[in-house]
Amino acid sequence: MAFNLDLYPVIYLAQYNPATKNWEEKWIETDNITYSELCSMAPEKKAEILAKRNQFGLPCVSYTSQYGYGCFEGMKAFSTKDGGISIFRPDRNAARFASSMKGLKCPVFPEEMYVKASEEFIKRNAKLGYIPEYDPEWEKDEFASASSVYMRPFMNSEGAIGVGCSTAPTVVICATTVSSYFKGGNTKAVTTKRVRATPYGTGCIKCASNYVISALAKKEAEEAGFMEVVYLDSEEHKYIQEGSSCNIFFVTKKGVLVTPELGDTILPGITRASVIELAKQQGIPVEERKISIKEVMTKVDQCFVTGTAAGITHIESITHEGKEAVFNNRQPGEIGKKLQHLLKGGQYGTIEDTNHWNYKVL
């Protein structure tokens, strides 16, 4: 399933009014068709309904459409084993979204409003049956192929042309059901000469324009037979930065979990922060620091990437300048598997949420 455009029928919008300095909220119910009704439709009719759900009434010509000026979040809601529905750490997404909008020098969407809107969004779509029910079968592969709700809050500017910053942005929350992000097959990665972000740029905010380079680099990697791409730093081109749209972790041969330290070129991932906290709670030594591609090619035993969409995904090898470093005989490492068990188990409710990361909705 991965990503698809089968959007849910209820959509949230909030537009900033510069005159009143307030955010004006509204809910759009594109239709009242339940999920079961949608599934029973003929393919042509279903496609027509889904196409209409992707019409938000946003301006065609704007800072966002013309210049990639915008930001977004990726967050998930999960059906839990006890029959409930929870959103994973929406407060952290709210804080990062606010930071991104501040970085874009436009009015900032209030964090409390973000969390409340996210909760109501799930409730309204749940009434129409769009939240996938918990399936015990998901437990067999540690939820690697389990379904969840992928929520996409994003900011779009008002109609505009000519380079500038938004003064009346709109915030939208929409969602679709997703499963595993990465396609099946190999889990090989390759370094790229493309640069994701530079110092004093927008690399540390979830800015829409950042993902153009990601799309190009990942496409090139896939065409060369790899699943993922790995960026190096822009100045010396020797230190690891990120994957195409995810943070990256390594386990050294001494058993230390290492991930690149945050700075203005690396996105502060919510899953990244969660994995670091879970690892420390398990007594796994963690280091946030610079790690060179040379160290990765010679001193690393395990590798995985993390993200809202990716979860924790094993990387079997990294190829750099034609040379391949293979990790753990191409099999998922024990540390990655343990962290995946803790993270997904907590999200789906098979493990007690001792960190109180799940925001209970229903």
Side-chain angles (χ1 to χ4, degrees), residues 20-324:
T20 63
K21 300 188 184 303
N22 289 319
W23 288 89
E24 299 172 355
E25 300 177 288
K26 69 175 179 178
W27 293 91
I28 297 177
E29 190 168 303
T30 58
D31 55 75
N32 61 358
I33 297 169
T34 66
Y35 180 68
S36 59
E37 290 171 339
L38 185 71
C39 291
S40 66
M41 289 180 177
E44 297 81 5
K45 182 63 176 178
K46 180 179 178 181
E48 180 184 337
I49 295 296
L50 292 173
K52 288 181 178 178
R53 290 181 182 177
N54 195 28
Q55 306 301 313
F56 304 133
L58 299 176
C60 179
V61 178
S62 67
Y63 297 133
T64 305
S65 67
Q66 302 302 298
Y67 313 111
Y69 174 94
C71 59
F72 65 93
E73 278 299 312
M75 55 193 293
K76 280 186 175 180
F78 299 87
S79 298
T80 52
K81 193 169 186 176
D82 63 3
I85 302 173
S86 296
I87 306 175
F88 186 69
R89 308 193 79 173
D91 56 323
R92 293 296 297 265
N93 290 98
R96 188 172 65 180
F97 193 57
S99 178
S100 292
M101 294 185 79
K102 183 178 180 181
L104 291 177
K105 298 190 181 300
C106 68
V108 174
F109 193 57
E111 295 177 36
E112 183 180 356
M113 186 177 289
Y114 180 108
V115 174
K116 287 183 177 179
S118 298
E119 177 184 13
E120 183 64 19
F121 175 88
I122 292 297
K123 286 181 177 178
R124 293 191 182 212
N125 282 291
K127 287 181 179 179
L128 293 170
Y130 282 84
I131 312 303
E133 292 184 6
Y134 184 88
D135 186 348
E137 289 292 311
W138 295 343
E139 299 173 27
K140 293 182 177 180
D141 63 358
E142 294 288 359
F143 302 99
S145 58
S147 297
S148 59
V149 180
Y150 189 87
M151 302 173 65
R152 172 46 58 83
F154 67 93
M155 164 256 167
N156 201 88
S157 88
E158 66 275 27
I161 193 164
V163 177
C165 294
S166 176
T167 59
T170 296
V171 170
V172 179
I173 301 177
C174 56
T176 184
T177 299
V178 296
S179 55
S180 176
Y181 174 61
F182 287 107
K183 301 173 184 177
N186 76 68
T187 57
K188 298 176 183 178
V190 63
T191 58
T192 177
K193 292 188 182 298
R194 290 187 181 272
V195 175
R196 175 188 172 274
T198 59
Y200 306 105
T202 59
C204 62
I205 67 176
K206 205 165 177 64
C207 182
S209 59
N210 292 347
Y211 290 81
V212 176
I213 293 296
S214 291
L216 297 176
K218 186 171 175 61
K219 180 68 172 177
E220 290 164 351
E222 290 175 344
E223 290 174 344
F226 299 90
M227 179 192 76
E228 180 59 309
V229 67
V230 175
Y231 294 104
L232 303 179
D233 71 287
S234 64
E235 296 177 298
E236 298 180 74
H237 208 65
K238 68 178 184 179
Y239 292 105
I240 301 290
Q241 295 276 282
E242 292 188 16
S244 63
S245 56
C246 42
N247 296 114
I248 191 165
F249 285 80
F250 304 96
V251 179
T252 69
K253 293 178 180 179
K254 293 183 179 180
V256 180
L257 184 63
V258 181
T259 191
E261 62 189 358
L262 295 179
D264 60 3
T265 62
I266 294 178
L267 187 73
I270 312 302
T271 308
R272 174 189 183 277
S274 303
V275 164
I276 289 172
E277 198 161 341
L278 288 171
K280 289 179 178 179
Q281 290 168 359
Q282 293 299 305
I284 300 169
V286 180
E287 294 178 357
E288 297 179 70
R289 62 171 173 82
K290 286 186 175 182
I291 180 167
S292 68
I293 185 62
K294 181 179 179 180
E295 181 180 354
V296 167
M297 300 295 285
T298 57
K299 297 181 180 180
V300 162
D301 183 57
Q302 302 169 39
C303 176
F304 57 85
V305 292
T306 66
T308 299
I312 297 177
T313 300
H314 156 68
I315 298 295
E316 65 180 84
S317 70
I318 292 179
T319 296
H320 176 64
E321 296 180 344
K323 296 180 180 180
E324 183 184 34

